[in-house]
Every structure is written in C-alpha cells, then in structure tokens.
Amino acid sequence: MNNKYLARFLNIVEKGGNALPHPATLFAIFAFLVVLLSGFLSLFDIHALHPRTGEMIEPVNLMSKEGLGKILKEMVTNFTSFAPLGTVLVAMLGIGIAESSGFIATVLRLLVTSAPKRLLTFVIVFSAILSNTASEVGYVLLVPLGAIIFLAVGRHPLAGMAAAFAGVSGGYSANLLLGTIDPLLAGLSEEAAQIIDPEYLVNPAANFYFMFVSTFFIAIVGTWVTEKVVIPRLGVYDGDEKPEELRKLSKDEKRGLLYALVAGAFLTAFLLFGVIPEHGYLRGENGDILRSPFLMGIVAIIFIAAAVLGVAYGIGAKTYKNDSDVMRGMGKAMETLGIYIVLTFFAAQFVAYFKWTNIGLIFAIESADFIKSLDLGSIPLMIAFIILVGVLNLFMGSASAKWAILAPAFIPMFMLLGYSPELIQNTYRIGDSVTNIISPMMSYFALIVAFFQRYDKKAGIGTIIATMLPYTFFFFLVWVIILVVWLLLGWPVGPDSGLYYPG
C-alpha cells in the first residue's frame, strides 16, 4: 500500500477510535438512548409479526411510569444475573492461581526455548495462540520473548515479535483449550438468543471444534507469513540490542512442572472416568454428554484445572509457601477485572433495556425480512459479517464490549434467518481476531509499540501495521476458506452447536 494512503487510513482510524468514549461510558449512553428511543417509537404505529409465535410485537415505552419503575427495581438484578459476569469471575479466579504461581509463564517459556531451530517460528506462533487460554498473558510475556529468542539465534527480533503478536492477537479465536473469553462470549450470546427463544442456552464450548481445527491452520499460516513475507522485508538486524542468554528452567521450576504434571494426570483421569463410561458420573440423564455436568459445568472445570495445576506447581517450585499466597493470587486476578466489572454493569443495563423495549426484536424481524429478500445465501452473508466486524474492530478494540453491542441486534436477526447463535458467535470471533493486530484501539497496542521501539527507535503505529497487515490478509483468507468448508459440510462448530436454528 502506498505510504501516503496508508498514513491517511491510519489517521482516520486513530481519529475515529480516539473520538469514541470509554466502552463503559458508551454502554451508559446506549442504555439512555434505548430508553429515549422506546418513548419516541411508542408514539407511532410500529410493529412486527413474530415469525415463530405469530404474536404482534410493539415497542414498550420505558419512559412511562411502569417503565421507569421497572428500571429502578431491576437495576441490581440486571447486573447480578448478567450471564457473562459470574462465568468470567469464576474462570479468572482459577487463572489467577495458575498465573501467580508462575506455572503459565514457565510452560510458555519451556515450549519456545526447547523447540528445534527449524521449528522455532512455528512453536512461537503456536505457543502464542495457546497463551489465550490464560487471558492476555501472551501480550506481556510471549511478544517480548519472541524478539529475545529470534535475536539470540541471529534473526531479526522484530520478526520474532511479529510472529508472537500474530499468534496472541490475530489468533485470538483459535485454541486447543477453552479460555476465559469462551464463557464470556457465550454468556452474551445466550442473553441475545433469549430475545427470540427465552429457553435457549449457549454452551461455553460452543465454538470448540472450529477453534481446535483453526489452531493448526493459523499457526502454519502465521509461520509462513513470518518466513516468506516479514523476515525478507525486515532484512538483517543492525540495531544496538545484543542477544540475551535465554534462561533455562531452574531446579525449582522443573520440580514445579513435575508436580503439576502429576496433578494434571490425576485430574484428567478423574474427568475421563466421569465422561467415557456410558453412565459416568459426569454424564447427564440417560448417559447424555451434550447436556451433561461436564459440558454445562465447563467454567467450573476451567477454574478447578487452573487451580489444581497452579497450586501443584507453586508447591513444587516453592512459589507458594502457604494458603495465603494462593488467595493473594486469586485476589490479584480480581484486581485486574475492576474496569471489566464497571463495564459489565452498564452493558447489563443496555442489554436488559434492549430486550424489554422489543426494539431489538423488531429490528431483528425487519432486518431478517430485508436480508431474506436479497437472497444472499449463507456464505456471502457470513463473509459480509466477518468484514463488518473486522472494520468495527479498528475503532473499538474490546472483543466483549463489541459483542455486547452487536449480539442483541445480530443474533436475533440471524436466528430468524435460520442460523444458530453459536455459528454467529463463531463468525464474529473470526472478524474480531483478524484485525486485532492492525487496530490501534486494541488495548495492548501501545504496549506493542513500546516493545517495537526497543529494537527500532523510529517505530510507530505505521511500522506495526505495515508489519502486521500480511498476517491480517492471510488469516482472513484462510479463516474464510475454513468457514466455507465448514458450512458446505454442515459440521457443528462445537458440542451441541449446529449451524442452523430450527426455530
């Protein structure tokens, strides 16, 4: 891309993003506007016919006496019953134990330092993708570590950093394991789906099959882009930074990993014995696994697994001296969620008002009728949605904040078109991931700039976006191909998560 046009494009993105208020403020504004809009729409003869029940849907006025009373009476329960809140808090308690013990950092360091040189790039990208299980630890650990490792083996450090950043951020919707983002997005999807179907449940593992397969493709593509595009473009590193000696695992760290391995083996055996037998203790009624305690309690399993591995490692590595250390680790994880809880409060009010007023339902019905008349077909429709989300991601970086806004509008609409909430969530995640690495509004973008400047004093936003654009293009291309194949073959995107909503 011509530098002049690239600079102009970046200026538009930066100005647009900076013009947006804080996401929490944005939700407060949206909630207020929904209340005003409900009063305005109630003055007109606006209605829609529910295609499933045949019921006439009309706007509900929240500016009325009854509406204002409902707002005041249910403000607390809107917040406390908001599906993503509890799931994220519980999952993060376990992740906090594993992170504060040093278990996560040690495992990631072991993966990238023990890899053969010819597989180094692949291992960095692959490890970066896996780091998403532990929320955003990859940004602060693997991105700078990628540069250090590349420099140590005589390669350009920015290429190693780009490879790690591509895996952590561009590969955010791929993984072999479930992480904290899965129950968070599933909770938002469930709230939105219940606008159409009050009994609808979205499993936190809803996109697991698609994510699992995507992990290998994204890791391979990220490796190819690094080797064939990024490294040749960067050339030979001639900066001032000198290679650092990569610290090997200490005796305590090795013992900690051994303890964690043994604890993990016992936990895995417990889970397998509960799931594999036809009437295992983690199966549901009549041996059902799709609605079993195992899948329905996946958030609890994430918490337990992270806690068991973290405590076992902490005891072995001597990073945990007593139970107070464990509790402090959990507390530290909660400290990082302060602003998330504030955001959730306002998001919960917005989603509740959107549901109460029927605005979302009317919008969904009318939009679904319009899109149906275009007769686009599932593949063009999903690609268009990916592009829409990818563009919005340039101006609003938070995956959960965007989905809290988009889900109440788009999930009901797509459900009325016959597509499942799980498929729409899956498609959203692709669009959200591919432009993360070129979005100045991504929360860690400033940190990435600082990392780049260590090796290139002149590096700025333009430097990073120019380096990462090839990843965005090829990740988008490969993920679209995978999704098209998935749609053509009719595969479910996760357990009990088909592509279509029966209605």
Side-chain angles (χ1 to χ4, degrees):
M1 186 183 290
N2 185 288
N3 285 338
K4 182 176 71 174
Y5 294 113
L6 176 61
R8 189 178 301 170
F9 170 72
L10 295 178
N11 286 338
I12 293 172
V13 170
E14 195 167 6
K15 287 179 181 177
N18 289 337
L20 290 174
H22 189 280
T25 308
L26 205 59
F27 281 119
I29 293 170
F30 285 164
F32 179 67
L33 290 177
V34 167
V35 174
L36 292 182
L37 188 60
S38 71
F40 177 74
L41 293 179
S42 65
L43 301 175
F44 303 93
D45 183 25
I46 296 174
H47 59 269
L49 189 67
H50 197 299
R52 187 165 173 258
T53 64
E55 180 187 358
M56 187 65 71
I57 308 297
E58 297 178 341
V60 174
N61 183 10
L62 289 184
M63 293 185 70
S64 64
K65 178 182 177 181
E66 293 78 11
L68 292 175
K70 188 175 181 67
I71 289 173
L72 294 175
K73 287 188 294 183
E74 301 194 30
M75 183 176 289
V76 175
T77 53
N78 288 343
F79 177 50
T80 56
S81 64
F82 193 51
L85 179 63
T87 55
V88 171
L89 294 180
V90 171
M92 281 303 295
L93 284 171
I95 296 298
I97 296 172
E99 190 171 355
S100 67
S101 70
F103 172 71
I104 293 172
T106 302
V107 169
L108 291 175
R109 203 170 85 247
L110 176 65
L111 277 173
V112 295
T113 55
S114 60
K117 188 175 179 180
R118 61 190 178 84
L119 295 177
L120 197 57
T121 305
F122 176 82
V123 171
I124 287 175
V125 179
F126 190 76
S127 302
I129 294 171
L130 295 185
S131 73
N132 294 323
T133 304
S135 189
E136 292 154 336
V137 68
Y139 286 107
V140 296
L141 174 67
L142 266 181
V143 174
L145 186 59
I148 292 169
I149 291 169
F150 260 50
L151 187 59
V153 297
R155 309 187 81 181
H156 203 298
L158 291 186
M161 192 175 291
F165 184 33
V168 171
S169 198
Y172 200 64
S173 292
N175 216 309
L176 303 183
L177 303 168
L178 296 177
T180 54
I181 192 67
D182 296 286
L184 170 57
L185 295 183
L188 292 167
S189 299
E190 184 175 296
E191 294 271 354
Q194 289 176 354
I195 293 175
I196 295 292
D197 185 347
E199 303 299 319
Y200 202 94
L201 299 176
V202 178
N203 194 309
N207 302 142
F208 181 66
Y209 297 161
F210 190 91
M211 286 167 46
F212 188 95
V213 171
S214 295
T215 302
F216 300 98
F217 284 96
I218 293 301
I220 291 169
V221 172
T223 302
W224 183 86
V225 171
T226 304
E227 296 289 341
K228 302 299 182 182
V229 181
V230 175
I231 290 177
R233 178 179 176 273
L234 290 173
V236 178
Y237 178 67
D238 57 1
D240 299 328
E241 289 291 327
K242 302 302 178 186
E244 295 181 23
E245 184 179 351
L246 295 176
R247 183 171 67 85
K248 295 183 178 180
L249 298 188
S250 67
K251 185 178 178 180
D252 285 344
E253 288 172 330
K254 290 178 181 178
R255 185 172 55 249
L257 287 179
L258 178 62
Y259 279 35
L261 182 64
V262 172
F266 277 107
L267 179 61
T268 301
F270 172 79
L271 294 175
L272 290 177
F273 278 116
V275 173
I276 292 177
E278 187 176 349
H279 297 289
Y281 44 80
L282 291 180
R283 283 180 176 254
E285 293 182 12
N286 301 317
D288 181 31
I289 195 169
L290 294 178
R291 294 291 174 184
S292 66
F294 176 73
L295 284 181
M296 302 303 290
I298 201 71
V299 176
I301 290 174
I302 290 173
F303 165 75
I304 293 169
V308 167
L309 294 173
V311 169
Y313 174 87
I315 293 172
K318 300 179 182 178
T319 54
Y320 280 159
K321 300 294 190 297
N322 50 48
D323 61 304
S324 295
D325 292 337
V326 178
M327 297 307 150
R328 274 193 290 271
M330 298 172 77
K332 188 175 180 181
M334 290 299 99
E335 288 173 11
T336 64
L337 290 178
I339 196 64
Y340 168 75
I341 294 172
V342 174
L343 186 149
T344 300
F345 172 77
F346 291 108
Q349 308 311 319
F350 163 70
V351 171
Y353 300 168
F354 208 63
K355 190 184 296 185
W356 294 345
T357 59
N358 287 332
I359 291 174
L361 186 53
I362 293 171
F363 168 82
I365 293 169
E366 296 299 324
S367 300
D369 288 341
F370 172 72
I371 292 174
K372 195 178 294 182
S373 69
L374 298 177
D375 196 24
L376 290 176
S378 59
I379 292 173
L381 201 55
M382 295 304 146
I383 294 174
F385 188 54
I386 290 172
I387 294 171
L388 171 65
V389 174
V391 172
L392 288 176
N393 195 38
L394 295 174
F395 298 91
M396 188 176 186
S398 171
S400 56
K402 277 196 309 296
W403 193 225
I405 293 171
L406 295 177
F410 283 94
I411 278 190
M413 181 188 79
F414 279 113
M415 286 176 73
L416 294 174
L417 290 170
Y419 301 105
S420 71
E422 293 86 354
L423 171 62
I424 306 312
Q425 176 184 290
N426 191 90
T427 307
Y428 165 79
R429 295 179 72 170
I430 295 173
D432 175 66
S433 289
V434 294
T435 55
N436 260 344
I437 46 183
I438 60 168
S439 172
M441 297 304 113
M442 194 269 293
S443 56
Y444 282 87
F445 205 85
L447 180 64
I448 303 302
V449 172
F451 286 155
F452 264 65
Q453 287 176 342
R454 176 181 174 182
Y455 302 97
D456 181 359
K457 306 300 182 188
K458 297 178 181 178
I461 292 176
T463 308
I464 295 174
I465 294 183
T467 304
M468 304 310 296
L469 263 175
Y471 293 102
T472 290
F473 175 78
F474 285 104
F475 282 7
F476 170 80
L477 188 63
V478 168
W479 246 323
V480 165
I481 292 171
I482 296 172
L483 182 63
V484 168
V485 171
W486 221 273
L487 290 169
L488 292 175
L489 295 177
W491 290 341
V493 289
D496 197 25
S497 303
L499 301 179
Y500 303 103
Y501 174 64

